[in-house]
């Protein structure tokens, strides 16, 4: 039987990276057409508004766009609904248009996802191993995936935060690499290295609680079902657990997402409409929460619960199911390699004389 904690069969960090990279690619391919349609409908709805931004997400990362300037919204086309948007985009612009923006998404999403999943796997495995050695048990307590998920997300988001700032500047207007480099140098000169991590706090505000909650739910749901190891490692079962865990985590952490969205839009508007030279102080998290509550009450903190769950659940399900399937594939591969190695070793031992032939 294949055991995850057996060092002979455990997948390597390189194999974990390959699994995470595959998951990111597949998630992007499946989710991007759905979000391109959503972007077009949002842009159409908000095109009459001036000096406003909106966010869209393809399941792995978010993009910020100024309304009325979106390159994804031809003026000649008006959509009457979701299916009409699918039809008209494919008819007038070609089917590949449904995957608009896929390349820049992968440039940032793939490394972020790889760092996140590999970091989580390494942390969870080592924490579980140390806990089991210390307590002489074999089970995994709930706090391990929660702590590993939160730590992994913090690490991944922090590492790619400067790239997020570059992406925001590139979305604001067409810039050459020399102009981007100059803008970043001015940012560092004016605000120090901390200037490269603007908006990091509001991103961590949502992503860290979500990741901790998601992995805890995922591991708990998998363990609660009385299934064999092979059944628990199947693609469909992991898809189910991932969608349920993603839905629960998305609902519980929705207030964090609402606050994060408000702050990211505020930051984006300053970047886009003041050419990145805004000096006004950003609104604090406490002030953002207070503003939302005063204007909309508790209900305002749960705005968009249905579309968020519909967006997050399939993205989480596809990503985790693909990742777990990749892990299972490499575990089987490692097992086969180990068996072949042992078989070759036995053949060599049989062909050569041993010390036992000369023993008394």
């Amino acid at each position: 039987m294949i055991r995850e904690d057996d060092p002979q069969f455990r997948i390597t960090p390189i194999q974990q990276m390959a699994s995470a990279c595959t998951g990111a690619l597949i998630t992007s391919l499946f989710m991007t057409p759905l979000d391109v349609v959503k972007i077009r409908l949002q842009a159409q709805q908000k095109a009459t508004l001036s000096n406003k931004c909106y966010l869209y997400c393809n399941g792995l990362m978010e993009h910020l766009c100024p309304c009325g300037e979106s390159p994804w919204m031809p003026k000649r086309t008006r959509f009457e609904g979701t299916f009409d948007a699918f039809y008209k985009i494919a008819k007038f612009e070609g089917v590949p248009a449904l995957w608009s923006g896929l390349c820049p998404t992968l440039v940032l999403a793939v490394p972020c996802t790889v760092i996140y999943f590999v970091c989580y796997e390494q942390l969870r495995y080592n924490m579980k191993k140390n806990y089991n050695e210390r307590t002489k048990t074999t089970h995994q307590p709930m706090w391990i995936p929660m702590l590993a998920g939160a730590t992994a997300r913090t690490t991944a988001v922090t590492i790619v935060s400067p790239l997020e700032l570059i992406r925001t500047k590139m979305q604001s207007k067409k810039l050459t690499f020399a102009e981007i480099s100059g803008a970043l140098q001015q940012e560092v000169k004016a605000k120090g290295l901390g200037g490269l991590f603007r908006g990091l706090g509001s991103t961590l505000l949502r992503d860290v609680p979500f990741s901790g909650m998601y992995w805890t739910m995922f591991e708990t749901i998998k363990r609660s079902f009385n299934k064999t190891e092979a059944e628990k490692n199947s693609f469909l079962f992991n898809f189910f657990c991932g969608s349920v865990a993603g839905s629960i985590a998305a609902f519980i952490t929705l207030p964090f997402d609402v606050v994060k969205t408000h702050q990211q839009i505020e930051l984006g508007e300053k970047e886009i409409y003041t050419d990145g030279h805004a000096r006004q102080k950003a609104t604090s998290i406490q002030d953002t929460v207070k503003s939302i509550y005063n204007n909309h009450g508790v209900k305002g903190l749960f705005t968009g619960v249905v579309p968020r769950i519909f967006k997050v659940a399939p993205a989480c399900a596809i990503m985790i199911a693909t990742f777990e399937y990749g892990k299972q594939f490499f575990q089987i591969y490692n097992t086969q390699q180990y068996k072949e190695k042992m078989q070759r070793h036995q053949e060599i031992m049989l062909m050569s004389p041993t010390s036992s032939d000369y023993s008394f």
Side-chain angles (χ1 to χ4, degrees), residues 153-169:
R153 194 62 187 174
T154 301
T155 303
V157 171
T158 303
I159 289 174
V160 302
S161 184
L163 298 179
E164 285 280 1
L165 181 61
I166 293 174
R167 183 171 60 87
T168 302
K169 289 183 178 294

Side-chain angles (χ1 to χ4, degrees), residues 15-175:
Q15 292 173 333
Q16 292 173 352
M17 291 174 63
S19 300
C21 184
T22 303
L25 289 170
I26 293 176
T27 303
S28 295
L29 289 172
F30 273 94
M31 297 302 297
T32 297
L34 298 175
D35 281 289
V36 166
V37 170
K38 187 185 70 173
I39 300 159
R40 300 290 188 91
L41 293 172
Q42 286 179 336
Q44 178 176 276
Q45 182 184 25
K46 296 185 179 183
T48 56
L49 300 177
S50 60
N51 200 31
K52 294 295 179 183
C53 294
Y54 66 93
L55 294 171
Y56 74 91
C57 176
N58 67 354
L60 290 176
M61 62 183 295
E62 291 174 330
H63 297 267
L64 185 67
C65 282
C67 293
E69 299 179 11
S70 174
W72 301 290
M73 186 182 171
K75 294 181 180 179
R76 68 177 185 277
T77 304
R78 178 166 184 81
F79 308 120
E80 303 300 330
T82 301
F83 292 106
D84 184 60
F86 267 111
Y87 172 75
K88 288 182 178 177
I89 293 172
K91 180 179 179 181
F92 295 113
E93 303 170 50
V95 174
L98 291 170
W99 279 268
S100 299
L102 180 61
C103 291
T105 294
L106 294 177
V107 168
L108 198 57
V110 170
C112 182
T113 304
V114 168
I115 294 170
Y116 174 42
F117 275 82
V118 174
C119 185
Y120 170 78
E121 280 292 307
Q122 293 297 317
L123 287 171
R124 185 188 65 82
Y125 172 75
N126 286 294
M127 285 193 292
K128 180 184 176 183
K129 181 181 178 182
N130 293 333
Y131 177 82
N132 292 157
E133 289 176 352
R134 193 169 61 251
T135 60
K136 307 299 180 183
T137 59
T138 57
H139 77 283
Q140 176 179 271
M142 288 180 61
W143 61 266
I144 287 181
M146 178 179 290
L147 181 59
T151 305
R153 194 62 187 174
T154 301
T155 303
V157 171
T158 303
I159 289 174
V160 302
S161 184
L163 298 179
E164 285 280 1
L165 181 61
I166 293 174
R167 183 171 60 87
T168 302
K169 289 183 178 294
M170 291 181 70
Q171 287 179 332
S172 65
K173 60 181 181 178
K174 198 169 185 179
L175 298 174

Side-chain angles (χ1 to χ4, degrees), residues 218-235:
F218 178 75
E219 299 288 350
T220 301
I221 293 169
K222 285 190 69 172
R223 193 170 56 186
S224 64
F225 281 86
N226 186 21
K227 290 182 175 290
T228 64
E229 198 67 27
E231 290 174 330
K232 287 186 177 181
N233 287 324
S234 68
F235 182 88

